[in-house]
Amino acid sequence: MAILNQIKNDGEIFWKRHFETDEIFQVKFDFICGLGPNLYEIQVSISEEGKPYYAEQRMIHWIDEAAFLPSRVIPKPITSAA
């Protein structure tokens, strides 16, 4: 959306991308996890959008529970003040 609204000028505009039948593609997420400890579910959907506006969406395929993301807190060791 930032590229489409000319806030950013580098990168491909995803809404103009055309996918061929049986084309395989991958999505990589890279983020800092701010989630609390729990088991989170990832849902995957493929939709067709006439405009880059989420209310104008035609759902083509949906996978519930496509993957799970466990999040845990790694405890810090307790040190005594000397």
Side-chain angles (χ1 to χ4, degrees):
M1 294 304 291
I3 296 169
L4 193 61
N5 289 318
Q6 298 177 344
I7 296 168
K8 276 179 70 176
N9 59 6
D10 60 333
E12 179 184 359
I13 298 177
F14 194 78
W15 274 273
K16 294 183 179 181
R17 173 97 191 266
H18 180 79
F19 294 93
E20 298 296 329
T21 303
D22 295 327
E23 180 181 351
I24 296 173
F25 65 95
Q26 296 179 353
V27 178
K28 178 183 176 184
F29 294 100
D30 187 19
F31 57 92
I32 296 172
C33 180
L35 300 171
N38 210 334
L39 180 64
Y40 295 89
E41 162 190 339
I42 296 174
Q43 297 185 15
V44 179
S45 67
I46 299 173
S47 65
E48 179 181 34
E49 299 175 0
K51 298 176 186 173
Y53 174 60
Y54 297 109
E56 190 178 308
Q57 220 179 86
R58 183 174 72 94
M59 197 59 57
I60 297 172
H61 191 66
W62 185 290
I63 301 174
D64 194 24
E65 299 180 341
F68 292 93
L69 174 70
S71 177
R72 62 187 175 102
V73 175
I74 300 172
K76 293 182 181 179
I78 299 173
T79 58
S80 61

